[in-house]
Amino acid sequence: MTINASGWRPEVGAAVAESAGTYTGNRALMLEEALIFEIGDSKTTGVDIAAPPAVKSRLAGLERHRPIGIPGLSEPETVRHYTRLSRQNYAIDLGLFPLGSCTMKHNPRLNEKVARMKGFADIHPLAPRETVQGALAVIHELAHWLVTLTGMKAVAMSPKAGAHGELCGILAIRAALEARGDARSTILVPESAHGTNPATAAFAGYAVESIPATSEGRVDLAALSARLGPDVAGVMITNPNTCGLFERDMKALSAAVHAAGAFVYCDGANFNAIVGRVRPGDLGIDAMHINLHKTFSTPHGGGGPGSGPVVLSEALAPFAPLPYVERQGDTFLLIEEETVDERQGKSFGRMTAFHGQMGMYTRALAYILSHGADGLRQVAEDAVLNANYVLRSLDDVLDAPFGHTGPCMHEALFSDGGLAEGFTTLDIAKALIDEGYHPMTMYFPLVVHGAMLIEPTETESKAALDQFIGALRSVAMRAKQGDPLLKSAPHYAPRRRLDETLAARKPVLVWKEPEEAVAAE
Amino acid sequence: MTRYFTDEHEWIDVDGTSATVGITDYAQGQLGDIVFVEVPDAGTQVKKGGDAAVVESVKAASDVYAPVSGTVIEGNGALEGDPALVNSDPEGDGWFFKLTLSDPSELDGLMDEAAYKAYVNGL
Amino acid sequence: MRYLPLTPEDRQAMLATIGAASIDDLFVDVPAEARLSGPIANLPGHASEMAVERHFSALARQNMAAGHHPFFLGCGAYKHHIPASVDHLIQRGEFLTAYTPYQPEIAQGTLQMLFEFQTQVARLYGCDVANASMYDGSTACWEAITMAARVTKRTKAILSSGLHPHYVSLAKTMAKFTGDQLMTSAPELSAETDSVQLLAAIDADTSCVVVQYPDILGRIEDLSAIAAKAHEQGALLVAVVTEPVALGTIRSPGEMGADIVVGEGQSIGVGLQFGGPYVGLFACKEKFVRQMPGRLCGETVDAEGKRGFVLTLSTREQHIRREKATSNICTNAGLCALAFSIHMTLLGERGLRDLAALNHAHAVKAAERLEKVPGVSLVNESFFNEFTLKLPKEARPVVRALADRKVLGGVSLGRLYPGNPVLEKGLVVAVTEVVTPEDIEAFAIALEEVLA
């Protein structure tokens, strides 16, 4: 049986008696909020809609004859409901987000403003091309800068998120291999890879094999080279990797992979660490997705929408998915469908309806133009500086497994080594919540036991970092000394530790009327 | 009835050519609260060391391997409604599946209880 | 640079703490030949907020905004009025700048919203459960096809000719790589759907039948017979809904026996945005929940016994199952799901029904008027807010000529089905609550002029 390698187990912790309850259950600004199903009803609406003109129905006799069960609220109640809910969330606007593996940086509001301009927000994807030239210009301009920043040949803009971008890159690799009549079966993935990498390769029909890491937290080049062969289609590398380290042997690795007739896919989730300082194209990469919602700060939105354009090398560019934008003199063309035109004969096809995440393109382009070449270079430098500052300010209280081998890139990695018996990464994470921070990434990457991965990003000031370092140092000391209060943290959040076991054993995924719920038992 | 153990923390009770398979108390302790178990259907062919079942905790999904090759006679239906049985009685009511052995010689490399205890203590 | 708080003095002090002489020392692991010596060539330096805004304003002015003209485009993306409070609420920093709710104690806002969203979607679709959203309708459709293959352990899917051609195109792309077999065809320009052919095609190898409701030409048909035949053969019925407002007035696919219902949620709360980001809706019968892709939010209690919400059943997902996951999808469309959910809460059952009735009435009025244009005939017998006209000539140049007259007059089928001589005279016209009688008249007159 495979054992849970990360060591993570959710623990609920002991309840602590309330000091003084309140009639409402609220605690001053910590406000409880019922579900819309409990406060709304089917007769209430917050929208005034004109009475329809009388017409003869054309609904094929399929009129609804049963209630739908959608409650409504008036506008003031709606605004209050969602505002109260919002206050139970942590967010970048409230404080530092020390999450490794997901760049959470300041979201400039200018980007929101330009995305909402009527000329971008209120245009239809199938409007005649002559009426949307400005939108096509934005896509074309962003594509140009993404290609320039990465030193690659082309970019596929339509993938809707990072994982979708991975799929695009792997499909391009597969299409390129098939075009030369070369059926290969396997994708190699380092063990430190994001979980999406093996999932993507499997989804594209490949067998997945893991490549070990060295004791330094990098891909074992010797092991990789030994495994290369005529059955290997490609290698999926994350660089900088999930341990926050740059893969020093990247060029040698690419050369070895290419010599074996395979392709190099790079997971660009950590592009923020090198943007403007290193061009992935100079490292021999064939395809890399860029998370616009990370590196270029199109906001995270509580889990999407994202956008994952994929830059491609000369070898893969002809296989890029449809649609794409081309410039012809002063006119932008949108190439939407396969035609007999030879130029498009190689595209592997369509990955999404319409043309991708326009709302994210405007935001990312505004971000790139705001920073410019000098600003983007500064982004990478400050991101790496901030991460190293965190690493060196804490490596005396927390175990930094790769800290001795040199600087990290954009994220600092610690393990749970040296904590008191029975104390875990989870306890440190939950105690950070009480300190007013979102926890770091925990239990990832799997190559480190009880991993804590911290990516401060470049938009944190030194003062903000110093405060965070102080807080984490204090919590780490308490975990080393075995402070029992840690086991039941958080104490001050809107909720105490939640019972994830119950949620998974008896899934309740939709609200049911109390009598329905009882009947279902 | 003889009980053997694998270094992947499965146990197998052998009774002639049929056997019962589950995961050890040590394994359930490592996984924490089990929330879901997927057991093989009767008639499934399993291969020694191959995937035979899946056990899920909140944060991990683990494959359970067949200690020996054979044909599944029965999966433990009780685990669908009550996966916690694997936590409360891993080496009893929390069994995973029963099978008919296709090659009893495959038992040769497995550990007995004492050897497994020593193996776990060394982890 | 205004977004970067570190000062030169900060940087020096921090380098001293780290024990590095310069920033370059932190990049030692990057091979020297791959390090750029200065800012990237050809990209200008940083720009002020005002300058960037000016650049975008100029580009935005080159586009014809839907709200400024008589507007009749649909085919999977619809212009509806979005109440002002929706956009106000989704811009609250606690929603806009929050992370995926992996730390439930400080993400109850997002989690409770998702639980409400899942319930709204499940009820709208007539299903037991719904997930926390997908990228969009087209990707949700493919995920449904692969989920049906997992459930039935079969790989032959039958796609109705009424399914959005982009959805079909995406499925074909993916199937090339996964080895799934797809039966596809182009629609006929007629009032009849292909349900007779679908019924005949379902057999013991079919994993699922995929039917769009209302379909790409706007036609509506009862799905019960197809559901019954599919179930008889051990196959699933996947229904695709690209216009969720329709379900305010017509029966849900779940009620008619659909096993999986997926679709696009853009109509509610999200806006056109040139095609994205949108929000994919995904719902199914409870017994298939473990085969479902995407995130799921579930109810539980905290250590004090208070109700709370968490992401659950995550062992289906890529970050845990890796190569054995139900899908490679990592993110959902959280903020678009929020916009959908807020708009749906504002509407409520009454508002949704009224909105749907108004859409239908406007569409009927428009169809009656446009049918009177010489040479034009109405293809549909049934429709909700979208119908197809047959023009006396190829529709694509007609759409361009209408745009020259400042009327955005529908989607030509020639654009969606290039090289199909049967369909090139088809024009799909969508009519929502934002359309006025004057808009309809302007459209009709412009169409008369262009066809004359």
Side-chain angles (χ1 to χ4, degrees):
Chain A
M1 192 199 86
T2 45
I3 292 288
N4 172 4
S6 75
W8 180 11
R9 277 197 255 152
E11 292 174 35
V12 172
V16 172
E18 279 288 297
S19 51
T22 55
Y23 170 75
T24 54
N26 297 328
R27 284 181 282 182
L29 285 177
M30 209 188 282
L31 300 162
E32 292 294 314
E33 182 61 10
L35 291 159
I36 50 173
F37 309 97
E38 293 161 333
I39 54 180
D41 61 63
S42 62
K43 293 179 188 60
T44 305
T45 178
V47 185
D48 290 322
I49 295 169
V55 293
K56 183 172 156 295
S57 162
R58 305 274 195 112
L59 298 174
L62 289 170
E63 284 84 355
R64 270 194 186 264
H65 46 83
R66 272 185 275 180
I68 310 170
I70 305 273
L73 296 173
S74 66
E75 173 163 320
E77 290 169 306
T78 303
V79 169
R80 187 166 293 164
H81 175 71
Y82 289 100
T83 304
R84 285 168 77 119
L85 283 187
S86 77
R87 293 168 50 93
Q88 298 177 15
N89 272 3
Y90 190 84
I92 272 285
D93 283 4
L94 294 170
L96 183 148
F97 242 107
L99 270 175
S101 74
C102 199
T103 310
M104 294 290 289
K105 58 168 88 171
H106 169 67
N107 299 127
R109 290 314 192 269
L110 169 64
N111 306 354
E112 296 302 310
K113 190 174 179 185
V114 301
R116 283 173 169 77
M117 288 176 175
K118 282 266 180 262
F120 302 125
D122 193 29
I123 51 175
H124 192 284
L126 297 172
R129 159 182 106 205
E130 300 77 4
T131 69
V132 290
Q133 284 292 299
L136 297 178
V138 166
I139 299 176
H140 192 265
E141 190 179 348
L142 176 61
H144 174 75
W145 296 131
L146 294 178
V147 164
T148 302
L149 285 167
T150 53
M152 300 286 276
K153 174 83 172 84
V155 60
M157 293 296 291
S158 68
K160 295 202 159 251
H164 209 219
E166 287 174 29
L167 194 58
C168 171
I170 297 297
L171 294 186
I173 287 170
R174 197 165 152 171
L177 287 167
E178 281 172 4
R180 67 180 198 216
D182 191 352
R184 294 175 174 230
S185 59
T186 307
I187 294 273
L188 307 181
V189 181
E191 57 187 12
S192 62
H194 289 124
T196 45
N197 295 171
T200 297
F203 226 57
Y206 282 111
V208 180
E209 278 184 40
S210 191
I211 296 293
T214 63
S215 58
E216 282 198 347
R218 291 183 171 86
V219 172
D220 186 336
L221 183 58
L224 176 80
S225 304
R227 178 57 191 87
L228 288 169
D231 64 325
V232 175
V235 179
M236 293 179 94
I237 300 286
T238 304
N239 196 15
N241 71 19
T242 52
C243 298
L245 305 174
F246 194 86
E247 295 287 356
R248 284 191 210 121
D249 301 329
M250 194 68 214
K251 285 192 80 154
L253 186 150
S254 299
V257 172
H258 290 156
F263 292 96
V264 179
Y265 184 87
C266 183
D267 181 323
N270 300 332
F271 187 49
N272 203 58
I274 56 172
V275 62
R277 277 196 72 102
V278 180
R279 297 188 311 169
D282 298 336
L283 301 166
I285 285 163
D286 292 296
M288 179 181 96
H289 78 263
I290 301 168
N291 302 83
L292 297 186
H293 47 288
K294 297 182 185 182
T295 308
F296 300 113
S297 188
T298 68
H300 215 285
S307 179
V310 181
V311 287
L312 298 165
S313 65
E314 186 120 24
L316 295 183
F319 305 97
L322 296 162
Y324 50 89
V325 176
E326 273 192 1
R327 189 178 185 149
Q328 228 176 39
D330 290 342
T331 306
F332 292 98
L333 306 179
L334 181 66
I335 312 297
E336 285 181 280
E337 292 302 333
E338 300 275 7
T339 66
V340 289
D341 188 335
E342 274 188 22
R343 167 189 58 173
Q344 300 159 53
K346 291 182 172 175
S347 168
F348 71 68
R350 185 177 267 286
M351 291 197 74
T352 172
F354 311 125
H355 339 299
Q357 307 286 66
M358 181 70 192
M360 301 294 118
Y361 304 155
T362 43
R363 288 172 174 92
L365 182 58
Y367 181 91
I368 289 173
L369 296 178
S370 292
H371 282 83
D374 54 332
L376 287 174
R377 188 177 168 86
Q378 193 69 61
V379 161
E381 292 181 357
D382 286 357
V384 171
L385 179 65
N386 279 356
N388 279 284
Y389 185 65
V390 169
L391 179 69
R392 292 298 164 224
S393 304
L394 288 164
D395 63 3
D396 59 325
V397 284
L398 284 170
D399 174 53
F402 306 120
H404 59 281
T405 59
C408 62
M409 293 300 286
H410 58 297
E411 52 195 358
L413 177 62
F414 300 102
S415 83
D416 60 3
L419 304 187
E421 183 63 31
F423 283 74
T424 64
T425 290
L426 184 74
D427 301 324
I428 291 184
K430 298 304 181 190
L432 266 183
I433 291 176
D434 280 341
E435 297 288 348
Y437 291 106
H438 191 281
M440 60 282 155
T441 295
M442 49 183 200
Y443 299 101
F444 184 83
L446 301 172
V447 290
V448 171
H449 196 273
M452 297 177 231
L453 190 62
I454 297 171
E455 179 177 5
T457 84
E458 72 283 0
T459 59
E460 296 303 330
S461 67
K462 180 171 179 293
L465 290 180
D466 286 337
Q467 195 189 32
F468 171 72
I469 288 161
L472 184 49
R473 170 175 290 277
S474 157
V475 170
M477 293 304 290
R478 290 167 63 199
K480 292 172 97 155
Q481 290 153 7
D483 177 351
L485 278 174
L486 238 54
K487 293 303 297 178
S488 51
H491 301 93
Y492 307 127
R495 284 291 177 273
R496 306 294 302 280
R497 290 192 197 186
L498 287 131
D499 190 341
E500 300 194 39
T501 301
L502 174 71
R505 278 186 181 163
K506 292 196 162 49
V508 177
L509 307 174
V510 293
W511 189 79
K512 291 194 168 88
E513 304 283 345
E515 60 271 22
E516 276 185 88
V518 169
E521 283 294 310
Chain B
M1 179 81 79
T2 324
R3 177 168 289 203
Y4 301 91
F5 293 85
T6 71
D7 54 8
E8 295 284 0
H9 310 286
E10 289 96 13
W11 55 263
I12 175 164
D13 279 343
V14 184
D15 191 357
T17 56
S18 62
T20 308
V21 176
I23 64 168
T24 64
D25 188 47
Y26 171 83
Q28 72 79 21
Q30 285 294 309
L31 287 167
D33 292 343
I34 307 290
V35 299
F36 181 69
V37 179
E38 198 179 316
V39 293
D41 294 333
T44 309
Q45 300 289 329
V46 295
K47 231 173 119 251
K48 182 181 168 90
D51 295 353
V54 179
V55 58
E56 294 184 6
S57 65
V58 172
K59 298 294 176 193
S62 300
D63 294 311
V64 176
Y65 308 122
V68 293
S69 308
T71 308
V72 174
I73 304 165
E74 183 191 0
N76 186 353
L79 298 184
E80 193 182 347
D82 192 8
L85 280 173
V86 180
N87 291 120
S88 57
D89 193 8
E91 300 185 21
D93 290 346
W95 59 275
F96 277 53
F97 57 93
K98 296 186 159 95
L99 81 166
T100 314
L101 276 66
S102 57
D103 179 6
S105 74
E106 286 178 344
L107 295 166
D108 292 349
L110 302 181
M111 290 176 267
D112 63 11
E113 185 135 20
Y116 177 70
K117 258 206 172 92
Y119 168 70
V120 167
N121 287 335
L123 289 177
Chain C
M1 207 277 139
R2 64 185 174 277
Y3 304 140
L4 301 173
L6 294 184
T7 65
E9 296 74 31
D10 288 336
R11 293 184 183 113
Q12 284 313 313
M14 291 161 76
L15 284 170
T17 301
I18 295 163
S22 70
I23 290 282
D24 278 332
D25 286 357
L26 303 180
F27 284 84
V28 287
D29 288 331
V30 181
E33 67 272 25
R35 279 182 245 162
L36 297 172
S37 54
I40 224 142
N42 312 326
L43 176 61
H46 66 274
S48 70
E49 187 165 312
M50 193 172 72
V52 174
E53 196 176 321
R54 189 176 292 143
H55 177 73
F56 279 93
S57 295
L59 289 170
R61 277 196 301 276
Q62 295 174 27
N63 304 319
M64 265 173 80
H68 296 165
H69 308 281
F71 180 88
F72 298 89
L73 277 73
C75 288
Y78 301 88
K79 178 164 178 60
H80 291 282
H81 174 76
I82 300 172
S85 51
V86 174
D87 200 42
H88 165 80
L89 288 166
I90 70 166
Q91 285 197 75
R92 276 195 68 93
E94 302 94 325
F95 284 132
L96 185 77
T97 75
Y99 179 57
T100 308
Y102 289 139
Q103 295 287 349
E105 299 87 350
I106 48 172
Q108 284 300 301
T110 294
L111 287 161
Q112 182 171 331
M113 176 284 287
L114 289 175
F115 186 78
E116 292 172 351
F117 168 84
Q118 287 172 184
T119 309
Q120 287 169 324
V121 172
R123 291 180 173 196
L124 185 71
Y125 276 177
C127 294
D128 301 326
V129 289
N131 75 9
S133 77
M134 314 291 284
Y135 300 142
D136 75 335
S138 65
T139 47
C141 176
W142 169 248
E143 293 280 348
I145 293 169
T146 57
M147 174 172 153
R150 284 194 299 274
V151 169
T152 61
K153 301 191 168 66
R154 303 174 184 175
T155 55
K156 211 181 90 185
I158 303 169
L159 277 51
S160 157
S161 64
L163 180 61
H164 194 297
H166 286 185
Y167 290 38
V168 175
S169 184
L170 182 155
K172 280 182 173 167
T173 297
M174 294 303 304
K176 267 194 301 208
F177 297 100
T178 59
D180 288 72
Q181 294 165 278
L182 304 177
M183 218 179 92
T184 65
S185 53
E188 301 285 327
L189 212 49
S190 91
E192 301 300 315
T193 68
D194 62 347
S195 56
V196 173
Q197 292 90 315
L198 293 178
L199 286 168
I202 300 169
D203 62 22
D205 295 328
T206 307
S207 65
C208 64
V209 193
V210 185
V211 185
Q212 187 174 315
Y213 168 88
D215 78 357
I216 186 68
L217 304 188
R219 302 168 299 197
I220 317 169
E221 196 169 53
D222 193 331
L223 305 177
S224 308
I226 298 175
K229 179 77 195 276
H231 296 159
E232 192 181 297
Q233 294 289 340
L236 304 187
L237 171 60
V238 175
V240 177
V241 181
T242 61
E243 174 50 302
V245 174
L247 301 183
T249 192
I250 53 175
R251 231 159 278 181
S252 68
E255 269 179 86
M256 296 184 279
D259 301 280
I260 305 174
V261 186
V262 294
E264 181 52 67
Q266 169 273 332
S267 278
I268 313 269
V270 177
L272 290 170
Q273 306 187 86
F274 201 48
Y278 286 177
V279 53
L281 311 182
F282 195 115
C284 68
K285 291 180 174 162
E286 183 133 34
K287 62 181 171 189
F288 303 134
V289 73
R290 286 187 174 272
Q291 296 296 341
M292 216 179 188
R295 290 182 184 142
L296 285 165
C297 170
E299 185 184 314
T300 186
V301 293
D302 76 353
E304 290 174 351
K306 285 187 181 156
R307 178 174 69 189
F309 303 93
V310 292
L311 290 178
T312 191
L313 302 185
S314 48
T315 42
R316 297 163 304 110
E317 291 181 69
Q318 42 66 32
H319 61 283
I320 292 178
R321 287 314 293 274
R322 299 173 83 87
E323 69 269 21
K324 291 180 180 161
T326 52
S327 160
N328 83 316
I329 287 185
C330 188
T331 194
N332 57 331
L335 204 67
C336 300
L338 175 67
F340 176 100
S341 197
I342 297 171
H343 192 178
M344 195 57 97
T345 298
L346 278 163
L347 286 167
E349 178 127 359
R350 199 187 109 204
L352 182 63
R353 284 174 179 271
D354 290 351
L355 179 65
L358 190 60
N359 271 253
H360 186 56
H362 280 183
V364 172
K365 285 279 186 200
E368 286 169 354
R369 174 66 184 89
L370 293 165
E371 259 191 313
K372 295 198 179 87
V373 174
V376 172
S377 59
L378 176 64
V379 172
N380 303 52
E381 276 169 18
S382 67
F383 58 85
F384 166 62
N385 69 353
E386 189 169 30
F387 50 81
T388 302
L389 298 175
K390 187 174 178 194
L391 306 186
K393 54 170 145 180
E394 197 192 340
R396 212 165 173 173
V398 171
V399 168
R400 285 200 200 102
L402 288 169
D404 290 340
R405 288 171 169 72
K406 301 291 176 219
V407 173
L408 290 162
V411 176
S412 67
L413 286 173
R415 177 168 178 179
L416 294 178
Y417 300 93
N420 183 318
V422 177
L423 293 170
E424 66 179 17
K425 291 179 179 172
L427 179 69
V428 183
V429 177
V431 192
T432 72
E433 74 283 0
V434 305
V435 170
T436 64
E438 295 74 26
D439 291 339
I440 294 172
E441 197 51 36
F443 182 13
I445 289 168
L447 188 59
E448 276 167 21
E449 286 174 11
V450 170
L451 293 177

